Amino acid sequence: MNLKKILVISYYWPPGGGAGVQRILKFVKYFPENGFQPFVVTVDEEKASYPVIDKSLNAEVPHEAEVIRTGTFEPFDIYSKLIGKKSIPTGFSNETDPGMIQKLSRFIRGNFFIPDARKGWIKFAFTEACKLIEKEKIDIVITTSPPHSAQLVGLKLKKKYKINWIADLRDPWTDIYYYKEFKHLPFAEKLDKKYERLVLENADKIITVSNDLKRMFLQKSDSIDEKKFTIIPNGFDEDDFKNLKKPDKTQNDFIISYTGTLAESYNPQIFFDELKKVVTENPEINIKLRFIGSPADSMMNRIREMSMSSNLEVIPTVSHERSVEYLNESTLLLLVIPEVKNDKGILTGKLFEYLASGKTIVCIGPEDGEAAAFISECKAGKTFERNDEYGLSEYLSGLVQYWKVKGDLNIENDLYKKYSRRSQTKYLCEVLKCF
């Protein structure tokens, strides 16, 4: 098959791990079977600032893909040395009690590195992208963010080559919930909003993950054509869930798992309180609350202060493959939507892997939010507002009693399958074929 060439520009790429890699990696994985040969411009792994490393993801890159790694200038190198960490997430979302150095770094980040601290990568990525476009005669480019610096590469390419440009925006830009933490001065915020507006106005197509995110972006300028938008939510890869062993039902372990970040802004206290009641009422059951990833220390200390240390298990960030295995071993999955402005539109990528695991989900967040809608559509659990203590308590108690009889809380339907990465890539490629 003669494949059409497409250029992908993404800062996050294997061996970088975490949620930021999954979406674009899976698109690239399934591009060839849909008629596209991907060329990927990314950062040199030795010079990158990745939140986590997951070398197992290298195996996901299709052999048809040509990956070009570039240099970069990383201000995080200096920041990392100051605070003693080797990798720092873009949003500092888990720095719940920042000291003077952290506060100063946020101010510097917000006012000297616009749109983000990967700004130093733009010229390197642009140079390599230009070489590829001219050598390979590529006429379609997809940029994915965050970091939103990748979108400025797309903007420069659009200006120079009049190329067909698709901007994939996984998260809000100037509406992200931790945006105020960067203490932007007026000139910096104005410039950042200008960059956001220029990207939205000049991209030929805009891909985003939710209706609410589309709504936010449309408000940025009257010159943005709504017809440019296509919503492709995050999803799951069927390959990740093949050959998983069935959990041992003979064990008396009731494991509640949560993966990823859990910062103060998530405010999961209602779940901790109601879980405490369930633990007290069922002393014969080994109820375990397992956090896989990077929960804030303050959150974990709160659980310990509630005399639930024996029920707490914290597992540092693991490979994506192992994360899926932990989901499979769980009895119940916890999802928490941050308690922030525009929380109704937050649609975290892990939700779809939760759905694919076939486990019941308890979600803490807005009942009329998009995450709640997906859970309801797939008949995979229930969402509770933070003031619904009675409803959550009754639901948790009911689940435990049902588990005592049945032995698991697995969801017996396949409604989630429409959100597979393969299906989503096929849909994306139909959009690309419009050019």
Side-chain angles (χ1 to χ4, degrees):
M1 181 170 60
N2 205 7
L3 301 180
K4 184 173 178 59
K5 297 173 181 178
I6 182 170
L7 175 58
V8 175
I9 297 174
S10 177
Y11 183 96
Y12 292 126
W13 189 256
V21 176
Q22 293 295 322
R23 181 176 173 87
I24 195 63
L25 173 61
K26 301 299 186 178
F27 282 152
V28 169
K29 176 180 177 179
Y30 292 114
F31 271 154
E33 68 182 51
N34 286 282
F36 286 88
Q37 179 187 358
F39 292 79
V40 181
V41 171
T42 189
V43 66
D44 185 335
E45 61 192 82
E46 297 298 324
K47 301 176 181 178
S49 297
Y50 294 139
V52 295
I53 300 294
D54 186 353
K55 293 184 179 180
S56 71
L57 295 178
N58 285 317
E60 302 272 345
V61 181
H63 71 270
E64 295 93 343
E66 182 175 330
V67 180
I68 297 88
R69 298 185 181 274
T70 78
T72 186
F73 168 70
E74 292 292 332
F76 275 146
D77 287 346
I78 301 171
Y79 180 82
S80 299
K81 291 175 183 177
L82 287 173
I83 69 168
K85 292 183 180 179
K86 293 183 178 180
S87 58
I88 311 296
T90 304
F92 307 110
S93 58
N94 257 17
E95 293 180 357
T96 55
D97 187 21
M100 185 59 67
I101 291 177
Q102 285 90 343
K103 289 178 180 178
L104 177 61
S105 73
R106 293 181 185 185
F107 177 81
I108 293 172
R109 148 68 178 88
N111 293 282
F112 293 92
F113 297 100
I114 305 166
D116 50 59
R118 274 72 174 198
K119 177 184 178 181
W121 181 57
I122 295 174
K123 65 177 182 179
F124 295 91
F126 177 71
T127 298
E128 291 302 321
C130 289
K131 292 178 184 177
L132 271 174
I133 289 171
E134 294 174 10
K135 177 185 176 183
E136 301 292 341
K137 310 301 180 187
I138 299 172
D139 63 359
I140 299 179
V141 174
I142 180 168
T143 52
T144 185
S145 67
H148 300 300
S149 288
Q151 303 298 353
L152 299 191
V153 179
L155 186 64
K156 286 166 68 71
L157 292 172
K158 179 66 178 178
K159 183 176 181 180
K160 181 172 182 177
Y161 295 105
K162 308 301 181 187
I163 203 162
N164 296 308
W165 172 32
I166 303 93
D168 177 50
L169 292 140
R170 307 185 304 270
D171 290 334
W173 189 322
T174 57
D175 294 298
I176 194 73
Y177 67 88
Y178 51 75
Y179 192 74
K180 291 183 180 179
E181 293 181 13
F182 295 122
K183 309 299 180 186
H184 296 89
L185 295 174
F187 85 91
E189 185 170 353
K190 182 178 180 181
L191 179 59
D192 205 12
K193 290 183 176 180
K194 177 184 176 182
Y195 284 152
E196 179 182 32
R197 176 176 54 79
L198 288 173
V199 167
L200 294 168
E201 288 177 346
N202 287 279
D204 296 287
K205 297 284 185 182
I206 299 166
I207 311 293
T208 193
V209 301
S210 71
N211 285 295
D212 201 60
L213 202 46
K214 171 185 172 181
R215 175 191 61 78
M216 279 190 276
F217 286 135
L218 278 171
Q219 292 176 344
K220 302 301 177 181
S221 168
D222 292 336
S223 299
I224 303 171
D225 185 357
E226 184 177 1
K227 295 179 181 177
K228 295 199 302 186
F229 282 82
T230 298
I231 296 173
I232 302 179
N234 288 302
F236 73 97
D237 190 346
E238 296 151 315
D239 289 350
D240 295 339
F241 291 84
K242 290 179 179 177
N243 305 317
L244 291 174
K245 296 180 181 178
K246 290 186 177 182
D248 186 358
K249 292 185 179 181
T250 62
Q251 296 183 2
N252 196 37
D253 294 338
F254 190 100
I255 302 173
I256 305 169
S257 294
Y258 179 96
T259 63
T261 297
L262 187 72
E264 283 285 351
S265 59
Y266 285 53
N267 188 15
Q269 188 60 46
I270 181 177
F271 186 83
F272 298 163
D273 291 339
E274 301 313 314
L275 179 62
K276 171 70 173 177
K277 296 176 184 177
V278 172
V279 169
T280 302
E281 293 167 357
N282 298 275
E284 77 282 8
I285 302 175
N286 181 27
I287 298 177
K288 185 76 68 177
L289 181 55
R290 175 184 286 169
F291 290 93
I292 306 128
S294 53
D297 290 341
S298 58
M299 295 284 99
M300 301 305 95
N301 290 335
R302 198 172 300 170
I303 295 173
R304 295 183 183 101
E305 290 167 0
M306 296 173 68
S307 301
M308 288 201 297
S309 294
S310 62
N311 304 99
L312 177 63
E313 182 180 9
V314 180
I315 298 171
T317 300
V318 297
S319 69
H320 181 251
E321 180 181 10
R322 186 67 184 108
S323 177
V324 170
E325 290 174 353
Y326 276 124
L327 295 182
N328 183 58
E329 296 167 5
S330 303
T331 311
L332 182 67
L333 300 178
L334 171 64
L335 181 69
V336 184
I337 305 301
E339 190 179 30
V340 295
K341 182 181 178 182
N342 297 317
D343 58 352
K344 293 180 182 180
I346 294 177
L347 200 56
T348 175
K350 66 188 168 194
L351 167 60
F352 297 91
E353 296 196 333
Y354 277 23
L355 292 171
S357 74
K359 307 296 180 178
T360 296
I361 301 168
V362 172
C363 176
I364 305 301
E367 290 182 337
D368 56 349
E370 296 204 40
F374 277 94
I375 293 170
S376 177
E377 175 194 346
C378 295
K379 296 180 170 53
K382 194 169 177 61
T383 301
F384 297 91
E385 299 279 357
R386 287 176 173 82
N387 61 358
D388 189 9
E389 294 92 346
Y390 178 78
L392 178 58
S393 179
E394 289 291 297
Y395 188 68
L396 287 177
S397 295
L399 289 177
V400 170
Q401 298 309 312
Y402 185 79
W403 175 82
K404 287 179 179 180
V405 176
K406 189 172 183 291
D408 66 49
L409 300 175
N410 295 344
I411 303 300
E412 304 295 340
N413 69 59
D414 59 0
L415 297 174
Y416 64 91
K417 287 189 174 180
K418 68 173 76 173
Y419 301 111
S420 73
R421 300 285 191 182
R422 176 177 264 113
S423 297
Q424 291 170 329
T425 305
K426 183 178 181 180
Y427 179 50
L428 172 59
C429 289
E430 292 301 317
V431 174
L432 298 179
K433 289 173 183 176
C434 294
F435 292 124

